Amino acid sequence: MTAGVAGSAGTARTPGRVRQAAWVASVALLVLVTAVLPLLLTEGQSGGRTLDPADTSLDGSAALARLLQAHGVEVVRMETPGAAVSAAGPFTLLLVTEASFLDRGAAGRLAVAFGDRLVVGSVPHLDVLAPGVHRQGPVRARSRAPECTLPEAVRAGDAYTGGMSFTGPRGSVGCYPAGDGRSLVRYTADGHTVTVLGDASFMTNLRLAEDGNAALALNLAGAQPKLVWLAAPDDLDEAGNPGDETGEEASGEARSLGDLIPGGVKWAVLQLVVAVALAALWRGRRLGPVVAERLPVVVRAAETVEGRGRLYRSRRARDRAALALRAAAADRLAPRLGLPRTATPEEIAVAAAARTGRDPEPVLTLLCGSPPGDDTALVALAAHLDTLERQVRDS
């Protein structure tokens, strides 16, 4: 007997232990994912520097830098706009890519630097770096034909361009039609040759070997003996340090509190939020299934009706009582008249009058009239409603 009771108790505790183990495993898995995911994302961001001549990943441009050096072009990688301006000279080409972190003051200094400019990708402050060039709208990046007379583009042929289409100033040359404009625009102003492209994917290690991408990149980036390549700094804080004239002091723009918070702190706060949510789910009070409780006293329906009637009478709520009587009569009459539950009292009154052969006006007053003025009128209203229901039922 005792063994049987113990066995049943152990069986009863087994589902609870299984649920508890499942909860623990779920919480451990969520904590593990929350802890590992930021590390993976951070590693992916720091490992690949987009359009960086020193980056050998698919998004980098190390292959292009080596090709340029093999063709006798000196490639100088700079991480700050101030250093890029200092390295620029009469026979240099300044390459500004979408990986550059520029404010408006730094873009202004780059615009007046020596040499030519090659602006590739979604670079900010295009109105400063390439005055007269206007964005027409984003376009899909794909292989396109040059359809122009620019020698660099004609020799390269089809290339992977797009991203953004532009219109240039008067006298400019546009290549690779895209949307309402061209994805490559070149013009000369103040002794500088400025070239703007809407997408930089053709310069990456991933797409350099496709179509004429390598030829186009070499023709554009190797136009001068020296190429000053402005790339993203390894430490983003260096882009705005006080030693750089293009930093915060030169631009006059103060950084917000969110900019001063390191990226790791944001991930730590996110992990804490997830941990608190998991703890709340673990320790929170859970509601069980609905329990049917037997009432100690059975109250007859008639007593409930009488109690509500006495309550209406004590408060002289004849309007509420009349409304309840009319609503209940309408609910009972609607299915007998073949009307839906959503039928209005006016529709029910018209149908009831047509069924019983009565004048519609008195029936409409009976179901939709004004509240009775005294108890006698209320009792008469109830009697008339009963008569109407009986007539509809017998018709």
Side-chain angles (χ1 to χ4, degrees):
M1 188 68 164
T2 305
V5 173
S8 61
T11 304
R13 286 196 297 267
T14 299
R17 291 179 178 177
V18 172
R19 287 194 297 268
Q20 184 177 5
W23 264 102
V24 172
S26 301
V27 171
L29 180 61
L30 287 175
V31 171
L32 181 62
V33 171
T34 307
V36 173
L37 183 60
L39 296 178
L40 295 177
L41 294 177
T42 304
E43 181 180 358
Q45 294 174 355
S46 61
R49 295 167 294 184
T50 304
L51 297 174
D52 194 314
D55 184 13
T56 57
S57 67
L58 296 179
D59 294 332
S61 299
L64 175 58
R66 293 175 183 176
L67 285 177
L68 290 169
Q69 292 171 351
H71 284 74
V73 178
E74 180 186 1
V75 179
V76 181
R77 180 182 181 274
M78 293 298 176
E79 296 186 353
T80 60
V85 172
S86 300
F91 299 100
T92 60
L93 174 65
L94 177 60
L95 174 57
V96 184
T97 67
E98 60 188 13
S100 304
F101 295 86
L102 302 177
D103 55 24
R104 197 166 188 85
R109 293 203 61 204
L110 293 176
V112 297
F114 286 103
D116 300 333
R117 283 192 302 279
L118 176 59
V119 182
V120 184
S122 56
V123 178
H125 311 298
L126 186 64
D127 59 330
V128 179
L129 293 171
V133 177
H134 301 283
R135 292 185 175 95
Q136 295 300 309
V139 294
R140 184 171 66 90
R142 60 176 178 84
S143 180
R144 301 178 186 271
E147 299 185 17
C148 65
T149 59
L150 186 67
E152 290 84 347
V154 173
R155 291 196 301 266
D158 294 353
Y160 190 86
T161 57
M164 182 68 64
S165 63
F166 307 96
T167 56
R170 178 175 297 180
S172 62
V173 179
C175 300
Y176 302 101
D180 297 332
R182 306 276 175 153
S183 58
L184 185 153
V185 173
R186 169 175 284 187
Y187 69 98
T188 301
D190 299 331
H192 300 281
T193 299
V194 181
T195 308
V196 181
L197 288 98
D199 187 79
S201 300
F202 75 100
M203 301 175 62
T204 61
N205 301 327
L206 175 63
R207 297 193 178 275
L208 192 64
E210 299 177 358
D211 293 336
N213 295 345
L216 180 63
L218 285 173
N219 294 338
L220 295 179
Q224 295 291 344
K226 181 179 181 180
L227 174 65
V228 179
W229 195 316
L230 180 58
D234 295 331
D235 185 2
L236 298 183
D237 294 336
E238 294 180 2
N241 58 47
D244 187 1
E245 296 180 7
T246 62
E248 179 181 340
E249 294 180 358
S251 62
E253 298 179 0
R255 292 188 293 175
S256 63
L257 180 60
D259 297 333
L260 298 177
I261 299 177
V265 174
K266 299 177 181 179
W267 283 112
V269 172
L270 177 60
Q271 293 180 21
L272 288 177
V273 170
V274 174
V276 170
L278 293 176
L281 291 175
W282 172 42
R283 301 296 296 177
R285 186 174 181 179
R286 298 171 182 82
L287 298 178
V290 178
V291 178
E293 183 180 0
R294 181 176 297 179
L295 296 177
V297 178
V298 178
V299 180
R300 295 184 296 110
E303 294 183 7
T304 304
V305 175
E306 292 175 0
R308 179 170 294 184
R310 293 192 188 97
L311 181 62
Y312 284 158
R313 183 176 183 180
S314 63
R315 298 300 178 185
R316 292 185 176 86
R318 286 183 290 271
D319 53 345
R320 292 181 177 272
L323 182 62
L325 290 173
R326 286 168 169 158
D331 291 340
R332 291 190 293 268
L333 287 172
R336 293 184 178 276
L337 296 172
L339 299 176
R341 294 286 184 181
T342 57
T344 61
E346 291 80 3
E347 295 174 349
I348 295 175
V350 173
R355 175 71 65 86
T356 58
R358 298 175 55 179
D359 185 11
E361 191 65 27
V363 180
L364 187 63
T365 303
L366 181 61
L367 290 177
C368 308
S370 58
D374 50 23
D375 293 344
T376 302
L378 180 62
V379 173
L381 174 63
H384 291 316
L385 290 173
D386 289 339
T387 301
L388 178 62
E389 289 185 44
R390 185 173 61 257
Q391 292 176 351
V392 172
R393 185 176 61 251
D394 296 340
S395 61

